[in-house]
Amino acid sequence: QVQLVESGGGLVQAGGSLRLSCAASGRTFSYMGWFRQAPGKERLFVAAINWSTGSAYYADSVKGRFTISRDNAKNTVYLQMNSLKPEDTAVYYCAAGSRGFWRPSDFGSWGQGTQVTVSS
């Protein structure tokens, strides 16, 4: 099992930036991803990265604004979020999976989540 610990959330004004980090320990997985969940809404895919190749995948809603990256030496994945909008407000979760699909059910390990709030 892998343990995932997120950090970097907070309050930011619209148009601002935040960088989330997710430190992984334990076994490795093929993919690391970020999901988000707003109050009363379902958990949605944001971005994922292939741990070996670095290939990145994004939800349409964040393309061009968010960048996922990883540091293999630190076993850490990052989500750089620029041009933030109020609709980006959610709890952001880091997840680890092996299947190369982007449904929450395809990820077996989850972090505790970090709150991102974007004010207008």
Side-chain angles (χ1 to χ4, degrees), residues 4-111:
L4 304 172
V5 179
E6 302 107 331
S7 60
L11 173 64
V12 64
Q13 288 188 330
S17 298
L18 282 174
R19 189 177 81 155
L20 306 182
S21 300
C22 175
S25 60
R27 61 167 288 194
T28 58
F29 283 80
S30 299
Y31 295 91
M32 296 291 292
W34 288 96
F35 290 75
R36 66 187 182 187
Q37 188 166 20
K41 301 286 185 64
E42 63 181 333
R43 190 168 296 188
L44 298 176
F45 170 73
V46 174
I49 190 165
N50 183 299
W51 195 256
S52 297
T53 67
S55 297
Y57 310 86
Y58 298 96
D60 289 342
S61 59
V62 306
K63 279 181 183 176
R65 300 189 299 123
F66 291 12
T67 302
I68 189 170
S69 62
R70 92 277 194 226
D71 184 328
N72 292 46
K74 295 182 178 180
N75 272 357
T76 299
V77 63
Y78 304 98
L79 185 68
Q80 178 67 43
M81 306 184 294
N82 298 329
S83 302
L84 282 161
K85 305 175 182 179
E87 51 264 43
D88 294 318
T89 295
V91 177
Y92 283 69
Y93 296 91
C94 176
S98 300
R99 300 186 62 188
F101 298 103
W102 316 137
R103 300 165 299 187
S105 58
D106 294 308
F107 288 76
S109 296
W110 294 84

